[in-house]
Amino acid sequence: FQRQIDHQLKDMFRNCGFYKPFYIDIKSVIHASRNIVSPYLRGEVPITSGAALKYILNPSCGAISIGPFACLPSRMVESLLKTNMTLTNKIDATGTNPMIEELSKMGVDNLPFLAIESDGNPFTQVTQAQIEVFCLQANRMYENMKEAKKRTLGKLN
């Protein structure tokens, strides 16, 4: 029922030109986190960690987890993904494709990830610096992805 409503709402805005529908399959998201967290664990931890692993490199170049200050599930996700946000775990989570194989050959392993806790106040200078570093890493990943796609297309032609 929820999936049907989700699709209907997203489809209503399809033709406005400002929104491209992106449908999320929760079962595949939870499945993507199966190697780092038990799929039997209920709540947001398998969903958040699975979404980060599933959608990094396709379509995103990095993942940011923003949670409330002192939130246990957010801290669990942070601890899991800080050590497991790697190309190896991405392949384990979603399988491989030609672009990922090229990234592996290029020596890419760590994937851009940032965890932020917020209490509603403006971010500290340290957090702002972490965001800047994350943006640089994500931009580098974007450039690596472009190069890997170019190499992949070159092999196909």
Side-chain angles (χ1 to χ4, degrees):
F1 180 72
Q2 288 176 336
R3 186 178 305 126
Q4 181 182 6
I5 290 175
D6 180 52
H7 283 251
Q8 286 175 346
L9 286 172
K10 289 178 179 178
D11 287 343
M12 281 193 290
F13 294 101
R14 175 184 299 245
N15 296 325
C16 73
F18 297 112
Y19 177 75
K20 179 181 175 186
F22 187 77
Y23 306 106
I24 297 174
D25 178 24
I26 293 297
K27 285 184 182 180
S28 68
V29 167
I30 292 173
H31 184 73
S33 69
R34 73 190 179 286
N35 292 328
I36 62 171
V37 64
S38 171
Y40 299 108
L41 179 65
R42 298 288 178 218
E44 61 200 66
V45 175
I47 294 171
T48 305
S49 56
L53 284 169
K54 180 172 174 56
Y55 297 116
I56 193 157
L57 303 181
N58 184 24
S60 66
C61 299
I64 299 177
S65 173
I66 301 176
F69 184 72
C71 175
L72 183 59
S74 292
R75 289 190 176 176
M76 288 176 65
V77 168
E78 177 182 6
S79 67
L80 287 167
L81 291 180
K82 273 201 175 186
T83 56
N84 291 296
M85 197 59 131
T86 63
L87 197 58
T88 305
N89 284 325
K90 167 66 177 173
I91 293 168
D92 289 345
T94 61
T96 189
N97 65 43
M99 185 196 68
I100 291 176
E101 289 174 11
E102 280 300 320
L103 285 171
S104 180
K105 289 177 189 173
M106 292 167 60
V108 172
D109 190 43
N110 291 329
L111 305 173
F113 172 72
L114 176 62
I116 298 174
E117 284 188 339
S118 176
D119 60 0
N121 289 317
F123 291 136
T124 64
Q125 289 179 335
V126 172
T127 303
Q128 290 177 9
Q130 289 173 333
I131 292 170
E132 289 178 21
V133 168
F134 171 81
C135 289
L136 291 171
Q137 292 170 339
N139 187 56
R140 189 175 315 125
M141 182 58 66
Y142 173 74
E143 296 299 329
N144 287 338
M145 288 169 61
K146 277 191 347 187
E147 179 65 27
K149 285 180 184 177
K150 201 182 306 180
R151 290 182 185 186
T152 302
L153 291 175
K155 289 179 181 178
L156 295 175
N157 293 331

